[in-house]
Amino acid sequence: MKLFGLLFSPLVFGLAFLAPLLAQSITALGLPTAGINPLWIGFIVGGALGLSAQLRGSWFWIKP
Amino acid sequence: MSEIQYSSPANVDALDSAERQIAAKYMRMVPWGAVAWAFSNLAVWLSLWPLVLLDIMPLWLGFIIASLNVSLCYLPSHEAQHNIIARRGQPLRWLNELVGHISVIPLVQPYRVLRDTHMEHHAHTNDPQLDPDYPVHAPSGFAFLLKSIQSRQSGSDANQSYADALQRRGKDHELIDALVYSVVHLGFLISMAWSGYALEAALLWWLPRHIGLTYIQYYLSWAPHHPGNGRGRYKDTRAFKSRLGNLLSLGMQYHIVHHLYPHIPLSKTPAAYRELKPILQQRGCDLGDL
């Protein structure tokens, strides 16, 4: 059960799905990255959002 | 029909009988439209993937169509949940079950879980302890929207009412279905994302699913049962006039007919409602402006 808890955790979602999503969004929109690989930006932003959601129990300002 | 005074016990029987006779006219028919809807809706949603991935269709258009597909996918399964296409033992039973299972694939909801929790909803509508849909109740449409978003956060226990409902029915093993669906869905999203198709996965499934879930919850669970404090056959569901019309409100203006006679197909609820309306008025049902 702990394994499933980890699998469906916001942190895993942030790193495994949001990171490539953000990276591909940056590339598709042609946003400037100051030479940084968009995937690293995806990892940093997606990971931070996921960690925040993990700790707060919510992705948004709306808390359950 | 002539007015029957509801206060007299003899007339209550007459009213019951008249109600049942009207309802019977709309039951026992295969809703072929819902069957076609189930297969065509799924086929359109599945076709979006090659069309978008091969750059035949723009992603923005795929996103709009996918959102419609997900929002429309629940109702054929709902017909199947009530065995409207075919009851157990009938020749078309396989079709009933097939429609039930396949139509809700875009929604990532297992048919067995939906069916068994939905039966609990019908049995205990608006009961704070026993109605698995009770957590969607909110004082306003906007409050519902916030609640719906809250319910999908990691810290929420909104799905607990569904797990509890399955446990009460001795069907908690069906939670494995939900787990498998969720693992496959997440695995698909992650696989697509790391194959270079994150935007496609997000806009053809992930986001449309969230939009569809909210839309379905609003029209199937919140609106017809609002304010959610009435209990009993003629009090727990209302008729209402939707600003979006009957089609865009998923036919739920007439949901009161469905709760009274769950075997009436969705497409027949407007006609049944119009015929039942004088009786429902005498019953004191909340019929809004419909």
Side-chain angles (χ1 to χ4, degrees), chain B residues 144-155:
Chain B
F144 157 80
L145 181 64
L146 294 183
K147 213 168 183 183
S148 179
I149 294 170
Q150 283 175 342
S151 71
R152 274 167 261 164
Q153 304 307 307
S154 58

Side-chain angles (χ1 to χ4, degrees), chain A residues 18-38:
Chain A
L18 281 188
L21 176 62
L22 289 167
Q24 288 166 40
S25 300
I26 289 167
T27 305
L29 295 170
L31 298 178
T33 60
I36 305 168
N37 186 329

